[in-house]
mmCIF file of all heavy atoms in Angstrom:
data_model
loop_
_atom_site.group_PDB
_atom_site.id
_atom_site.type_symbol
_atom_site.label_atom_id
_atom_site.label_comp_id
_atom_site.label_asym_id
_atom_site.label_seq_id
_atom_site.Cartn_x
_atom_site.Cartn_y
_atom_site.Cartn_z
ATOM 1 N N GLY A 366 -1.458 9.546 -1.565
ATOM 2 C CA GLY A 366 -0.299 9.755 -2.294
ATOM 3 C C GLY A 366 -0.060 11.165 -2.821
ATOM 4 O O GLY A 366 1.102 11.800 -2.735
ATOM 5 N N PHE A 367 -1.175 11.773 -3.330
ATOM 6 C CA PHE A 367 -1.098 13.174 -3.765
ATOM 7 C C PHE A 367 -0.707 14.094 -2.684
ATOM 8 O O PHE A 367 0.130 15.005 -2.871
ATOM 9 C CB PHE A 367 -2.497 13.511 -4.395
ATOM 10 C CG PHE A 367 -2.492 14.869 -4.965
ATOM 11 C CD1 PHE A 367 -2.042 15.103 -6.337
ATOM 12 C CD2 PHE A 367 -2.994 15.914 -4.253
ATOM 13 C CE1 PHE A 367 -2.155 16.287 -6.925
ATOM 14 C CE2 PHE A 367 -3.054 17.230 -4.972
ATOM 15 C CZ PHE A 367 -2.598 17.360 -6.229
ATOM 16 N N ASN A 368 -1.387 13.834 -1.465
ATOM 17 C CA ASN A 368 -1.010 14.792 -0.281
ATOM 18 C C ASN A 368 0.421 14.627 0.143
ATOM 19 O O ASN A 368 1.100 15.529 0.613
ATOM 20 C CB ASN A 368 -2.035 14.438 0.806
ATOM 21 C CG ASN A 368 -3.370 15.271 0.627
ATOM 22 O OD1 ASN A 368 -3.479 16.334 0.995
ATOM 23 N ND2 ASN A 368 -4.255 14.598 0.081
ATOM 24 N N LEU A 369 0.891 13.421 0.042
ATOM 25 C CA LEU A 369 2.229 13.135 0.557
ATOM 26 C C LEU A 369 3.103 13.795 -0.466
ATOM 27 O O LEU A 369 4.224 14.451 -0.094
ATOM 28 C CB LEU A 369 2.559 11.586 0.635
ATOM 29 C CG LEU A 369 2.135 10.919 1.833
ATOM 30 C CD1 LEU A 369 2.430 9.498 1.736
ATOM 31 C CD2 LEU A 369 2.953 11.433 3.040
ATOM 32 N N SER A 370 3.029 13.722 -1.701
ATOM 33 C CA SER A 370 3.761 14.347 -2.689
ATOM 34 C C SER A 370 3.779 15.906 -2.505
ATOM 35 O O SER A 370 4.853 16.470 -2.605
ATOM 36 C CB SER A 370 3.302 13.966 -4.021
ATOM 37 O OG SER A 370 4.050 14.638 -5.155
ATOM 38 N N GLN A 371 2.688 16.487 -2.303
ATOM 39 C CA GLN A 371 2.558 17.935 -2.184
ATOM 40 C C GLN A 371 3.288 18.297 -0.790
ATOM 41 O O GLN A 371 4.075 19.284 -0.720
ATOM 42 C CB GLN A 371 1.133 18.327 -1.977
ATOM 43 C CG GLN A 371 0.190 18.163 -3.281
ATOM 44 C CD GLN A 371 0.777 19.132 -4.362
ATOM 45 O OE1 GLN A 371 1.200 20.228 -4.035
ATOM 46 N NE2 GLN A 371 0.773 18.779 -5.673
ATOM 47 N N GLY A 372 3.075 17.446 0.250
ATOM 48 C CA GLY A 372 3.771 17.815 1.474
ATOM 49 C C GLY A 372 5.287 17.699 1.465
ATOM 50 O O GLY A 372 6.056 18.493 1.999
ATOM 51 N N ILE A 373 5.847 16.754 0.737
ATOM 52 C CA ILE A 373 7.212 16.702 0.491
ATOM 53 C C ILE A 373 7.734 17.846 -0.327
ATOM 54 O O ILE A 373 8.882 18.372 -0.069
ATOM 55 C CB ILE A 373 7.600 15.214 -0.158
ATOM 56 C CG1 ILE A 373 7.280 14.097 0.611
ATOM 57 C CG2 ILE A 373 9.063 15.214 -0.526
ATOM 58 C CD1 ILE A 373 7.356 12.766 0.029
ATOM 59 N N ARG A 374 7.036 18.203 -1.319
ATOM 60 C CA ARG A 374 7.480 19.307 -2.268
ATOM 61 C C ARG A 374 7.549 20.665 -1.422
ATOM 62 O O ARG A 374 8.536 21.428 -1.708
ATOM 63 C CB ARG A 374 6.543 19.415 -3.395
ATOM 64 C CG ARG A 374 6.931 20.516 -4.440
ATOM 65 C CD ARG A 374 6.063 20.618 -5.545
ATOM 66 N NE ARG A 374 6.097 19.387 -6.404
ATOM 67 C CZ ARG A 374 5.078 18.469 -6.465
ATOM 68 N NH1 ARG A 374 3.961 18.771 -5.779
ATOM 69 N NH2 ARG A 374 5.168 17.401 -7.200
ATOM 70 N N THR A 375 6.545 20.782 -0.589
ATOM 71 C CA THR A 375 6.537 22.120 0.152
ATOM 72 C C THR A 375 7.172 22.104 1.534
ATOM 73 O O THR A 375 7.017 22.981 2.282
ATOM 74 C CB THR A 375 5.008 22.564 0.301
ATOM 75 O OG1 THR A 375 4.244 21.537 1.042
ATOM 76 C CG2 THR A 375 4.363 22.898 -1.094
ATOM 77 N N GLU A 376 7.760 20.871 1.769
ATOM 78 C CA GLU A 376 8.456 20.828 3.158
ATOM 79 C C GLU A 376 7.464 20.836 4.247
ATOM 80 O O GLU A 376 7.706 21.368 5.294
ATOM 81 C CB GLU A 376 9.583 21.688 3.282
ATOM 82 C CG GLU A 376 10.762 21.507 2.308
ATOM 83 C CD GLU A 376 11.931 22.362 2.577
ATOM 84 O OE1 GLU A 376 11.986 22.842 3.771
ATOM 85 O OE2 GLU A 376 12.778 22.574 1.708
ATOM 86 N N ASP A 377 6.212 20.346 4.058
ATOM 87 C CA ASP A 377 5.084 20.460 5.073
ATOM 88 C C ASP A 377 5.298 19.261 5.917
ATOM 89 O O ASP A 377 4.637 18.177 5.693
ATOM 90 C CB ASP A 377 3.788 20.431 4.286
ATOM 91 C CG ASP A 377 2.671 20.814 5.246
ATOM 92 O OD1 ASP A 377 2.859 20.808 6.573
ATOM 93 O OD2 ASP A 377 1.596 21.182 4.795
#
Side-chain angles (χ1 to χ4, degrees):
F367 184 85
N368 277 273
L369 275 174
S370 178
Q371 293 292 328
I373 294 171
R374 183 179 296 109
T375 59
E376 298 185 21
D377 193 344

